[in-house]
Amino acid sequence: ETGVTQTPRHLVMGMTNKKSLKCEQHLGHNAMYWYKQSAKKPLELMFVYNFKEQTENNSVPSRFSPECPNSSHLFLHLHTLQPEDSALYLCASSQPDRIDEAFFGQGTRLTVV
Amino acid sequence: AQKITQTQPGMFVQEKEAVTLDCTYDTSDPSYGLFWYKQPSSGEMIFLIYQGSYDQQNATEGRYSLNFQKARKSANLVISASQLGDSAMYFCAMREGRNDYKLSFGAGTTVTVRA
């Protein structure tokens, strides 16, 4: 257990579905991150939130919509995804500007059919 | 351009032996940090070791050591006395700038430890 919990662990969704990924941490961190890990590709940073404010959107398509209602929770809302969006989505948290002390969750394995 | 290069897609190592995982990086920023993470089949990324660009000595954490060769821009991970539980994917990553929150990851190396 790293202190960062992601649910669900596995998700299969159709291209017309709407679903949400959840990330929760009680480490007292104020920065949270979404990463995408596709097969045979390096991890890609998607979004960064510092103190609930989005500070980074790494050119992510609008079919991915993040939400950070408080410093402990981060969501990734998904709609009209494509099969190439199938990947492991990892959440991480840290203190702002302390990525060297980031903790990662176990990820959500997403399959788009 | 690729910031982190890991040239070994997969490696086999005998239990109790040492293994070296290669990592080269590319940056023009004089201040940067290098990380190694372990990703077991369960999915989470587990932080192993960190080396700052200004650190004079190579980082060590238990059975993990980082062979930092600044002039060659390499940051190889050495795992000594391999254990079956070391079987996992290993990622090298870099942070550029002293306070940047972004990590650039390599493609990873799969390590399989044989009994």
Side-chain angles (χ1 to χ4, degrees):
Chain A
E1 282 295 327
T2 64
V4 180
T5 304
Q6 290 187 243
T7 53
R9 293 293 311 280
H10 300 272
L11 178 63
V12 179
M13 62 184 288
M15 289 189 284
T16 58
N17 290 159
K18 288 185 180 181
K19 296 287 184 183
S20 296
L21 310 185
K22 180 182 177 182
C23 176
E24 185 174 355
Q25 58 89 10
H26 296 288
L27 300 169
H29 292 162
N30 289 299
M32 297 187 77
Y33 313 80
W34 278 118
Y35 282 88
K36 176 183 178 182
Q37 186 178 16
S38 304
K40 300 180 182 178
K41 289 178 67 176
L43 265 78
E44 302 169 76
L45 179 65
M46 300 175 71
F47 301 104
V48 180
Y49 277 81
N50 283 303
F51 294 99
K52 302 186 297 178
E53 297 296 321
Q54 187 181 121
T55 54
E56 179 81 18
N57 177 337
N58 200 22
S59 303
V60 181
S62 60
R63 56 186 185 270
F64 295 92
S65 175
E67 179 191 2
C68 189
N70 54 62
S71 292
S72 299
H73 294 86
L74 184 65
F75 295 90
L76 188 62
H77 303 300
L78 316 171
H79 64 98
T80 60
L81 294 192
Q82 304 298 312
E84 59 265 28
D85 296 322
S86 299
L88 180 69
Y89 289 84
L90 288 162
C91 173
S93 73
S94 73
Q95 289 301 354
D97 299 332
R98 293 311 307 266
I99 189 65
D100 52 312
E101 296 177 352
F103 289 85
F104 284 80
Q106 291 184 302
T108 295
R109 175 71 62 185
L110 174 67
T111 304
V112 181
V113 297
Chain B
Q2 196 86 349
K3 290 182 181 286
I4 295 287
T5 302
Q6 292 180 254
T7 57
Q8 305 151 311
M11 296 185 72
F12 290 94
V13 60
Q14 205 63 32
E15 195 177 10
K16 300 180 185 177
E17 292 185 349
V19 61
T20 298
L21 308 184
D22 295 340
C23 173
T24 58
Y25 58 92
D26 183 25
T27 181
S28 57
D29 198 316
S31 178
Y32 54 90
L34 297 157
F35 304 74
W36 277 94
Y37 288 88
K38 172 184 178 181
Q39 187 180 41
S41 57
S42 52
E44 74 273 26
M45 300 287 280
I46 303 169
F47 167 76
L48 295 178
I49 196 166
Y50 169 80
Q51 179 88 41
S53 58
Y54 296 117
D55 293 343
Q56 296 295 317
Q57 294 189 324
N58 287 346
T60 60
E61 288 287 345
R63 294 186 298 111
Y64 304 107
S65 60
L66 200 150
N67 184 2
F68 182 44
Q69 297 188 43
K70 198 169 183 176
R72 296 179 59 188
K73 293 191 173 180
S74 76
N76 297 341
L77 176 71
V78 180
I79 306 174
S80 62
S82 296
Q83 302 171 357
L84 296 177
D86 294 334
S87 294
M89 192 87 165
Y90 289 82
F91 291 92
C92 181
M94 176 174 66
R95 165 187 53 78
E96 294 175 275
R98 196 173 289 275
N99 294 315
D100 199 348
Y101 48 72
K102 299 179 204 176
L103 286 176
S104 300
F105 284 82
T109 297
T110 300
V111 172
T112 304
V113 180
R114 289 169 162 159

